[in-house]
Amino acid sequence: MTYKVAIAGATGYAGGEILRLLLNHPAYASGDLEIGALTGHSNAGQSVAELLPHLPQLAGRTIVDTTVDNLAGHDVVFLGLPHGHSGPIAKALGEDVVVIDCAADFRLKDSKDWENFYGSEHAGSWPYGIPELPGNREELQGAKRVAVPGCFPTTMTLGALPALHGKLIEPDLSVVAVTGVSGAGKKAAVPMLGAETMGSVKAYSPGGTHRHTPEVVQNLSPFAESTVNVSFTPVLAPMPRGILATITAPLKDGVTQEQVTKVFQNFYADEPFCQVLPEGQQPQTQHVVGSNMCQIQAHVDVRAHKLVITSALDNLTKGTGGAAVQCMNLALGLDETAGLPQAAVAP
């Protein structure tokens, strides 16, 4: 069978990353995956060669308008659209199409959380695209609808999950996560200008006001004795890609570094895209650029009686586009790792 795939919002950072990965997918090389409609809104009518020059295989293609008619007739549709636009398109495409949404529309299960953080009516929830969360992989296999997680929640969830699942910490997390500017998307905005970001680091949406906070709480609370408390502050750094999260939580009594290391290594022993680093080695964003990997370290702070977890990933790959392709693979019954690099770009 040949799968025909469309990308809505193809010229954005998420759409471009999905295309980069699909062009290196073994199913594309064998002819079993065909890249169909590439849609946009303000860029409709322009060439891929002009807008996405890093994708030479598609240079002769033209961006078409994001309409249901242009997206219909595909087996898989990736939606890289602004929040709030995915629901009507998915409904119009029908239940037989695999729709993979990179926006937040269907991530949250609690309608009050959605309304409080996004200010509109809740559209519902879909199977959630972190396969490494216990139980999620089974829900994603054969799924017709998938909600790709946010890049911050992926980084924090994968970092903290072994500690909560293994009962190593109290469910009270303080998180500072540094992100590259591509996390804000491709839209023109003064705070994202080079003159505003180069040589400067700033915090924003501090102390739990960021929209991704309820997503992290939703992901982690089932593995704790009570609802997880998350105080999350993102920090914008002058780099194109990458997230580095530092997660701090109180240790439970008697927990040792040896125990922590063993729990983390065992938890991710069979996960191809989660790497627990050797003791003493810290994750760095430069070591995950362009890869679908999340690198993780956990350090016992004996004096403060806390666990300090660091996790790093590429916000456009494992944080968005790579997660979307990983979920597509599961939904179509393909090898989960197909088309997804473990090796990063260095230097």
Side-chain angles (χ1 to χ4, degrees):
M1 178 177 178
T2 299
Y3 297 104
K4 192 174 182 181
V5 178
I7 296 90
T11 61
Y13 288 138
E17 186 72 353
I18 290 168
L19 284 170
R20 179 181 76 87
L21 297 168
L22 292 179
L23 289 168
N24 290 284
H25 198 289
Y28 178 78
S30 68
D32 294 326
L33 187 150
E34 175 187 345
I35 296 176
L38 307 178
T39 83
H41 182 59
S42 59
N43 293 322
Q46 294 181 261
S47 71
V48 172
E50 178 184 358
L51 298 170
L52 301 167
H54 66 295
L55 304 176
Q57 301 98 313
L58 301 173
R61 302 284 296 277
T62 299
I63 302 299
V64 299
D65 197 14
T66 301
T67 65
V68 173
D69 286 343
N70 284 332
L71 295 171
H74 295 80
D75 301 293
V76 180
V77 175
F78 292 96
L79 299 178
L81 304 174
H83 302 317
H85 290 73
S86 301
I89 291 177
K91 185 177 181 180
L93 289 174
E95 297 181 357
D96 292 334
V97 180
V98 176
V99 180
I100 300 176
D101 184 24
C102 294
D105 296 32
F106 297 96
R107 295 173 187 165
L108 295 178
K109 298 177 182 178
D110 190 314
S111 60
K112 291 183 180 179
D113 281 340
W114 173 267
E115 291 164 5
N116 288 338
F117 281 85
Y118 291 90
S120 61
E121 186 177 351
H122 186 229
S125 62
W126 290 353
Y128 187 76
I130 296 184
E132 294 84 1
L133 270 170
N136 278 27
R137 182 169 278 114
E138 291 75 17
E139 290 187 6
L140 293 166
Q141 290 169 341
K144 295 296 186 181
R145 298 288 187 269
V146 175
V148 176
C151 50
F152 279 127
T154 300
T155 317
M156 291 184 272
T157 297
L158 294 178
L161 180 58
L164 286 165
H165 189 273
K167 314 302 181 190
L168 302 176
I169 58 174
E170 300 295 340
D172 186 12
L173 309 182
S174 295
V175 185
V176 175
V178 179
T179 183
V181 294
S182 63
K186 215 172 187 176
K187 62 184 180 296
V190 170
M192 297 297 110
L193 293 174
E196 302 291 331
T197 58
M198 287 188 297
S200 179
V201 176
K202 72 170 183 178
Y204 64 99
S205 300
T209 61
H210 194 279
R211 288 175 166 183
H212 285 173
T213 302
E215 203 174 325
V216 181
V217 173
Q218 173 180 282
N219 293 347
L220 295 175
S221 292
F223 306 100
E225 293 93 341
S226 58
T227 300
V228 174
N229 184 46
V230 177
S231 177
F232 163 47
T233 300
V235 176
L236 183 68
M239 58 185 185
R241 291 173 175 249
I243 293 177
L244 177 69
T246 301
I247 305 159
T248 307
L251 271 176
K252 292 202 170 183
D253 290 338
V255 174
T256 65
Q257 180 67 61
E258 181 180 8
Q259 183 182 356
V260 167
T261 301
K262 185 177 180 180
V263 166
F264 271 72
Q265 289 177 342
N266 288 344
F267 191 88
Y268 286 129
D270 298 322
E271 291 294 346
F273 299 122
C274 293
Q275 180 187 14
V276 179
L277 297 179
E279 193 171 332
Q281 183 178 346
Q282 283 294 320
Q284 298 183 46
T285 57
Q286 67 171 329
H287 295 156
V288 293
V289 171
S291 81
N292 203 51
M293 297 299 297
C294 180
Q295 291 190 340
I296 302 165
Q297 181 58 273
H299 173 76
V300 172
D301 185 335
V302 176
R303 292 187 179 184
H305 198 61
K306 295 182 183 297
L307 185 63
V308 181
I309 305 163
T310 44
S311 55
L313 52 72
D314 185 329
N315 58 292
L316 293 181
T317 315
K318 182 58 173 166
T320 310
V325 173
Q326 189 175 351
C327 291
M328 179 199 76
N329 289 338
L330 286 166
L332 297 180
L334 304 175
D335 179 352
E336 183 179 337
T337 65
L340 297 170
Q342 292 177 303
V345 177

